[in-house]
Amino acid sequence: MSTTATATAPTEALDTFPINGTDHLEFYVGNAKQSAIYYQATFGYKLVAYRGPETGSRETVSYVLEQDKIRLVLTSAVVPNHAVGEHVAKHGDGVKILALWVDDCRDAYAKAIERGAESAFEPYEISDDNGKVVMAGIKTYGETVHTLVERSAYEGPFMPGFIAKKSSFPVDPVGLKYIDHCVGNVELGHMNKWVEFYEKVLGFQLLVTFDDKDISTDYTALMSKVVSNGNGRIKFPINEPAAGKKKSQIEEYLDFYQGAGVQHIAVATDDILVTVQKLRDRGVDFLYVPEVYYEDLLDRVGAIDEDLADLRRLNILVDRDDEGYLLQIFTKPVQDRPTVFYEIIQRRGAKSFGKGNFKALFEAIEREQELRGTL
Ligand code: FE2
């Protein structure tokens, strides 16, 4: 038996809820048509599929965008008093569905319900000439849903009901590869409940805990626990606010989102310098970290392959752990409410989350909060 087989076999056997990876993220937005242009023109996602009135969907319209392994779905209601429109009225644009790719949807759903998950919708099968997809939904924090998607037998552009549709202008990808992690903000005192949900229901394991001593500034504090699924491809940090002198960024999120929800989506790149340069050129706004951050950066993180001048110019942050280092940067919120934002991350060995940058980052967020009058 090879070393690899011995090393992976026990983990596979212990995985009580096998998930292949993230299938897609679905946003409910106010104007999917315009959001789709934003993601194509700035982040360089390609339009691949569409569903709307022209294809027989009378009440909602959805655009499906892809870049390497990342798939986003942008959905809006086209009629009044629809659940999608009401979601947007309450929360603003935000992530409704974190879809998980499973091999057997009905089995996964039954297991989740048996272990205490609340149903969002029961398994159903849809099919067209390209094959079939089976889906079911379970509820997670806030009004967010995990759809369990079984698509082994499907060959079409996204799923039955969607037609293939290409971008109508040249789209230049920025080098985004896959979703590294998705962070949820939950109400004060609810973090452990949701960590337990992921452990008990979905068989995730607790990777790391940050308390308010790790994550605090003069004004705000938060606590965070990171859970990960059996094969390690899905990582969900869960944040809750901790008592601070002023309103924490988590409380600001909960106020504007009207409850718990997805705070940020970290997407991985193999070349953060190129990715961030392209995003900046196309008008994506990033949090600003002051010059002083770079003065003793190399003393803090040691030798790195990138040129310090490039990192400083693009305002990219660096952190190191036992296994290597990582480079990261955070966008400002990507919709009008200060809720969902993106992290761009390049891992050079490090498997952690940039703890060494928390303070600089939170101070950057506080400067933004101050401008919004919500600190
Ligand atoms: Fe992150």
Side-chain angles (χ1 to χ4, degrees):
M1 193 187 274
S2 77
T3 354
T4 316
T6 5
T8 56
T11 322
E12 304 270 322
L14 285 174
D15 190 353
T16 65
F17 200 96
I19 301 168
N20 300 317
T22 305
D23 189 273
H24 65 272
L25 299 188
E26 183 167 359
F27 291 74
Y28 282 1
V29 298
N31 190 332
K33 185 175 201 165
Q34 290 188 6
S35 295
I37 298 286
Y38 173 78
Y39 278 103
Q40 291 172 85
T42 57
F43 288 87
Y45 283 86
K46 286 192 170 142
L47 180 61
V48 296
Y50 171 81
R51 179 176 71 186
E54 305 86 341
T55 69
S57 170
R58 298 279 163 234
E59 299 184 342
T60 62
V61 58
S62 297
Y63 291 80
V64 184
L65 305 162
E66 281 182 5
Q67 188 161 176
D68 206 319
K69 293 191 169 64
I70 310 164
R71 192 191 278 133
L72 305 180
V73 182
L74 306 167
T75 297
S76 288
V78 294
V79 292
N81 309 315
H82 189 277
V84 171
E86 277 163 12
H87 194 278
V88 175
K90 180 176 177 191
H91 302 289
D93 289 5
V95 177
K96 173 65 179 182
I97 291 169
L98 294 166
L100 308 172
W101 173 29
V102 297
D103 286 335
D104 185 336
C105 173
R106 291 184 181 88
D107 180 62
Y109 176 81
K111 224 184 258 175
I113 297 299
E114 188 189 297
R115 295 177 188 172
E118 208 182 316
S119 177
F121 56 92
E122 294 194 350
Y124 70 97
E125 193 175 306
I126 39 174
S127 56
D128 63 14
D129 294 346
N130 292 309
K132 66 162 190 175
V133 169
V134 189
M135 285 194 293
I138 56 170
K139 293 181 181 176
T140 179
Y141 48 76
E143 293 196 82
T144 318
V145 168
H146 286 308
T147 300
L148 307 167
V149 184
E150 172 191 330
R151 54 168 67 254
S152 50
Y154 192 69
E155 302 287 331
F158 178 53
M159 52 175 67
F162 284 78
I163 56 161
K165 189 167 172 123
K166 289 201 169 102
S167 298
S168 58
F169 59 97
V171 165
D172 176 27
V174 299
L176 304 179
K177 299 280 178 192
Y178 59 89
I179 293 172
D180 187 275
H181 59 275
C182 271
V183 182
N185 281 343
V186 302
E187 301 87 347
L188 181 64
H190 288 210
M191 176 179 69
N192 286 327
K193 178 182 101 177
W194 288 110
V195 167
E196 246 172 63
F197 162 83
Y198 283 107
E199 288 176 332
K200 273 175 57 187
V201 175
L202 296 183
F204 282 44
Q205 291 188 330
L206 181 64
L207 270 191
V208 56
T209 299
F210 303 104
D211 63 21
D212 51 349
K213 282 182 260 344
D214 297 316
I215 315 184
S216 67
T217 64
D218 286 348
Y219 293 115
T220 72
L222 66 92
M223 293 187 286
S224 188
K225 286 185 177 176
V226 185
V227 290
S228 173
N229 79 317
N231 66 13
R233 286 187 199 153
I234 298 171
K235 292 187 276 292
F236 291 150
I238 311 282
N239 296 332
E240 74 171 31
K245 276 191 215 157
K246 292 200 180 176
K247 186 190 268 193
S248 81
Q249 47 159 311
I250 310 302
E251 288 171 276
E252 188 200 35
Y253 175 100
L254 295 169
D255 284 353
F256 277 96
Y257 199 70
Q258 287 288 294
V262 172
Q263 179 213 36
H264 77 264
I265 301 146
V267 285
T269 168
D270 288 341
D271 192 341
I272 199 166
L273 297 177
V274 168
T275 299
V276 173
Q277 184 67 63
K278 285 187 175 182
L279 291 172
R280 284 192 180 281
D281 290 346
R282 298 172 192 181
V284 172
D285 287 330
F286 292 94
L287 284 179
Y288 171 71
V289 173
E291 275 291 296
V292 61
Y293 173 87
Y294 295 92
E295 281 170 15
D296 56 350
L297 177 66
L298 297 181
D299 298 336
R300 293 200 304 274
V301 302
I304 53 174
D305 293 345
E306 293 73 17
D307 187 351
L308 185 63
D310 289 333
L311 299 176
R312 190 193 291 254
R313 176 173 52 84
L314 295 167
N315 214 216
I316 292 165
L317 310 179
V318 190
D319 194 29
R320 185 177 284 278
D321 64 20
D322 295 343
E323 294 171 274
Y325 67 96
L326 62 83
L327 304 122
Q328 61 185 173
I329 189 167
F330 295 80
T331 71
K332 290 185 183 177
V334 292
Q335 60 291 306
D336 299 316
R337 296 193 200 188
T339 53
V340 184
F341 59 89
Y342 283 91
E343 171 181 353
I344 311 295
I345 184 167
Q346 182 179 3
R347 295 187 178 278
R348 290 197 174 269
K351 294 202 179 77
S352 51
F353 296 87
K355 181 177 159 185
N357 291 325
F358 287 170
K359 195 173 163 61
L361 274 172
F362 297 151
E363 285 169 354
I365 293 174
E366 282 160 17
R367 284 190 290 278
E368 299 293 316
Q369 277 185 269
E370 186 138 45
L371 291 173
R372 291 191 283 263
T374 58
L375 185 62

